[in-house]
Each structure stands twice: as C-alpha cells, then as structure tokens.
Amino acid sequence: MDTIELKDGGLLLCDDAFLTPDVADRYFESLRDNCQWEQKPGIFGYMQPRLIASYGDDGITYKYSGVENVALPWTATLLEIRKKMEAVNGDYNFCLMNRYRSGTDSMGWHADNEPEMSNVIGSLSLGATRKFRIRHNVTRETQTFEVGHGTLIIMAGTMQDYWQHEVPKTKKKVGERINLTFRKIVKD
C-alpha cells in the first residue's frame, strides 16, 4: 500500500490491487444485482448524476447536501468487504455506494466533512477504471489517480478539511463502476 502525504496534514493510502480480479468481479456482480439502488435529488432539485445505495448499522443516517440517506441492513457481501477494509484502516458503521452507469455519471468537487463523521473514509472501486481527482482548497493544486477494479483509497488525516475530491465525467466509452465509501457516523 502506498502512502501519500498531502499538504496540511492530509493522507491518502492507496492500493491498486487490494482485491484480486475474481474477488472484485464477485463483489461487483453481487452489489450491482442485489442492492437497492436509487437516483436521488441533489442541489437545486436536479437529480444526482449517479445511482446511490446506503447500508450500515441499525439507526444510522447520513445527511449531505440536504439529502438523507437512511442505512439499510448490511448485506453479507458488504459485511465481508467491511471486514477486509477495517483490517487495513478504519472502523466503519455506514457505507454510501455510488453506481456510475457510464462516463456521463459523475461526482462533482466536494469534501466529506460533515461534523458527525470521522476523518477516515475507505473508498473501494469496482468495475470500470475512472479518474479520481483531488484539489487543495487554497492552492488549487490538483492530483489525478486512475482507480480501477479492486482499487482501495483511504482518505485520512486532515484531507477533508483542506482538500476536495471528484469523479469527473468522461467522453470515453467506459463501463459501469461501483464505488463504496465506508465511514464512521457518530449517532446523536
């Protein structure tokens, strides 16, 4: 696993081959076919350009951009993935999944800095390779990573305070991608 130290105390842990291709295939198919995917409204009432699914411990809700994501009970596949991710870094009780159906599905610049969330986010990519970009809030320094089938990125330290990240649209013909973001949400 590569460790990338960012300005202002941000930290990225990256492993391009966290999962073997056969395990990544099995997880992708299970999540694509068995999770409750939905398209939710985003900022200004427009529909978000991707599908979303939320799973986690009983009673956990994650709210961002005015959208409430109530956790459905963990699936066996998600519990298996969670265990593998926690063995690397983190303690997670919620997973927000994004399903990018094609290159036109995306996630704009944002930081996951809600006060009820810990500073460690485990991000696992399954399916098509896409760009994952980070940008410093002040200097606007940008770094781009190609995240592929089975890539793990753990965002930690002060990354969410000083950096934003995105998955931009692409005109290239790409297949489907599922991204799992594991988080620790502190209940009220």
Side-chain angles (χ1 to χ4, degrees):
M1 178 159 297
D2 295 327
T3 300
I4 301 167
E5 294 184 21
L6 302 169
K7 286 182 184 168
D8 298 320
L11 188 65
L12 284 179
L13 305 174
C14 304
D15 186 347
D16 290 334
F18 178 68
L19 300 176
T20 61
D22 60 321
V23 171
D25 287 346
R26 181 170 56 86
Y27 288 161
F28 179 85
E29 290 169 12
S30 175
L31 298 172
R32 180 195 62 208
D33 297 343
N34 299 306
C35 289
Q36 293 184 30
W37 298 101
E38 59 183 319
Q39 191 169 21
K40 291 189 173 189
I43 299 174
F44 310 119
Y46 294 103
M47 297 305 280
Q48 293 184 16
R50 64 195 169 278
L51 301 178
I52 296 169
S54 304
Y55 290 83
D57 292 355
D58 187 44
I60 300 292
T61 298
Y62 173 54
K63 187 175 181 179
Y64 71 93
S65 298
V67 177
E68 199 168 87
N69 297 279
V70 178
L72 296 169
W74 293 105
T75 67
T77 299
L78 285 170
L79 285 172
E80 188 177 323
I81 296 169
R82 174 181 160 185
K83 185 177 178 181
K84 288 178 188 282
M85 298 203 29
E86 286 180 336
V88 174
N89 190 323
D91 174 28
Y92 307 114
N93 63 1
F94 184 84
C95 180
L96 180 70
M97 295 191 296
N98 291 292
R99 183 173 169 187
Y100 301 88
R101 297 159 291 185
S102 69
T104 60
D105 279 2
S106 63
M107 170 77 78
W109 288 112
H110 71 287
D112 297 311
N113 56 0
E114 291 79 11
E116 68 275 8
M117 193 165 50
S118 77
N119 69 326
V120 177
I121 298 172
S123 175
L124 179 64
S125 293
L126 301 170
T129 298
R130 294 286 297 266
K131 289 186 188 307
F132 171 76
R133 299 190 329 158
I134 63 172
R135 177 178 71 187
H136 192 271
N137 293 341
V138 176
T139 67
R140 302 314 238 191
E141 171 192 344
T142 303
Q143 295 182 41
T144 302
F145 304 87
E146 296 283 332
V147 290
H149 197 41
T151 298
L152 173 65
I153 293 180
I154 295 177
M155 298 177 277
T158 59
M159 179 168 170
Q160 302 303 324
D161 297 323
Y162 296 100
W163 295 79
Q164 293 183 319
H165 53 282
E166 74 162 353
V167 177
K169 293 181 186 303
T170 180
K171 292 182 178 181
K172 292 180 184 175
K173 185 172 175 136
V174 295
E176 255 188 312
R177 172 182 182 254
I178 295 173
N179 180 246
L180 298 83
T181 54
F182 285 83
R183 307 139 188 271
K184 175 76 171 188
I185 308 292
V186 179
K187 289 186 188 182
D188 292 336

